[in-house]
Amino acid sequence: MELEDYKKASDYIKNKIGSLSPKIAIVLGSGLGVLREDFEDLITINYKDIPGFPVSTVSGHAGELLVGKISGVSIIAMNGRFHYYEGYNLDEVTFPIRVFKLLGINDILLTNAAGGINLDFKCGDLMVINDQLSFFALSPLRGKNLDEFGTRFPSMSQLYDVDLSKKLFDIINTHTNRAKSGIYAYMKGPSYETPAEIRALRVLGADAVGMSTVPEAIVAKHCGMRIVGVSCITNMAAGITTEDCKAKDLSHSEVSDTADKVKFIFKDVVKEYIQLFNGY
Ligand code: HPA
């Protein structure tokens, strides 16, 4: 991808949204598509109409940008994201992030569904991501560096914004007693992990595991965005059985059932988080 490719997509979006200038971008993970109902003056843009945008293929994942206001704040949200396991290259997976940057957006909220590795976690917990592991994956920044976005060797020392993450944690706490924070480990999927992999990830320091978010966060950091991430713990990871998560064999339906149960709380949390950007 070249700068021009990202520019074409951002010009197309600018043209569609007119004078709206979104302050924050949100990537909506499983279940969070319900946020759509809460937009004022909603403009939807299908991914397939945006030059250069990949198109989402997983069932249950929509493929549209939502632009409008929530609680008076202009936002842009991805209803459906791109995953490496779908067959996209990492520059396709992260394409929208750089497009958001060209739209003038500096704040991004990444949300996802994840498996719990930390034994103190329960299904339905909301974990603010305070760091990430991606030992086993290629970097989305591999290849020619686009200097217009950022430096060749970007620091990942403070990937997730500490102050905003703390605020998000407090917001979760006011809605539910299920606030957690921890480290998100990225696995490429699409198969779930083996119990041995989960034990190994726990030793490495992971609290949760999932198949998204990490490439997006790296690209967002590269171009200087402020990042906050939150995982809905939809299941306990492979090999872990607890009172409330008895599934012996992981399935997508367990993940989507929990995401469905938590989605309204998750949505309220996200809406309150958005309010932090009011007048900002
Ligand atoms: N593993 C990987 N990705 C996931 C999981 C999991 O257990 N749950 C939701 N997304």
Side-chain angles (χ1 to χ4, degrees), residues 101-122:
K101 180 71 185 183
L102 293 182
L103 288 171
I105 298 170
N106 267 313
D107 277 285
I108 188 157
L109 175 66
L110 302 171
T111 71
N112 60 48
I117 293 181
N118 186 323
L119 296 173
D120 293 335
F121 287 6
K122 292 195 166 57

Side-chain angles (χ1 to χ4, degrees), residues 14 37-38 45 69 82 87 102 106 127 153 188 198 241:
K14 271 185 198 151
E37 298 161 5
D38 292 61
I45 307 174
K69 289 192 175 182
F82 308 111
L102 293 182
N106 267 313
M127 183 193 87
F153 299 110
K188 298 186 291 294
I198 294 302
T241 50

Side-chain angles (χ1 to χ4, degrees), residues 76-246:
I76 189 163
M78 285 183 74
N79 194 13
R81 61 147 59 88
F82 308 111
H83 303 86
Y84 182 72
Y85 64 73
E86 293 174 85
Y88 300 114
N89 297 324
L90 287 168
D91 54 0
E92 294 173 305
V93 169
T94 56
F95 185 82
I97 309 297
R98 286 179 165 171
V99 173
F100 296 152
K101 180 71 185 183
L102 293 182
L103 288 171
I105 298 170
N106 267 313
D107 277 285
I108 188 157
L109 175 66
L110 302 171
T111 71
N112 60 48
I117 293 181
N118 186 323
L119 296 173
D120 293 335
F121 287 6
K122 292 195 166 57
C123 292
D125 284 352
L126 293 177
M127 183 193 87
V128 176
I129 303 175
N130 52 32
D131 208 345
Q132 67 189 30
L133 295 171
S134 61
F135 294 124
F136 312 114
L138 292 174
S139 170
L141 301 175
R142 178 173 174 267
K144 191 179 80 169
N145 187 54
L146 291 183
D147 297 335
E148 295 85 354
F149 286 108
T151 172
R152 168 77 291 186
F153 299 110
S155 163
M156 294 287 139
S157 293
Q158 290 178 24
L159 193 47
Y160 293 93
D161 188 83
V162 175
D163 292 343
L164 281 172
S165 297
K166 167 86 174 60
K167 287 185 175 145
L168 178 61
F169 184 91
D170 292 342
I171 290 170
I172 298 171
N173 250 338
T174 63
H175 286 267
T176 149
N177 58 356
R178 316 296 296 271
K180 297 284 188 314
S181 62
I183 293 171
Y184 177 94
Y186 173 67
M187 297 292 273
K188 298 186 291 294
S191 50
Y192 288 113
E193 302 69 36
T194 63
E197 283 167 336
I198 294 302
R199 280 195 300 274
L201 287 174
R202 185 178 308 114
V203 171
L204 295 175
D207 297 294
V209 58
M211 305 173 194
S212 67
T213 301
V214 160
E216 295 152 0
I218 292 172
V219 166
K221 178 69 177 174
H222 177 249
C223 64
M225 293 171 104
R226 228 166 25 159
I227 309 163
V228 173
V230 56
S231 299
C232 173
I233 305 299
T234 49
N235 57 285
M236 290 311 283
I240 306 175
T241 50
T242 60
E243 269 308 296
D244 65 329
C245 300
K246 290 209 174 71

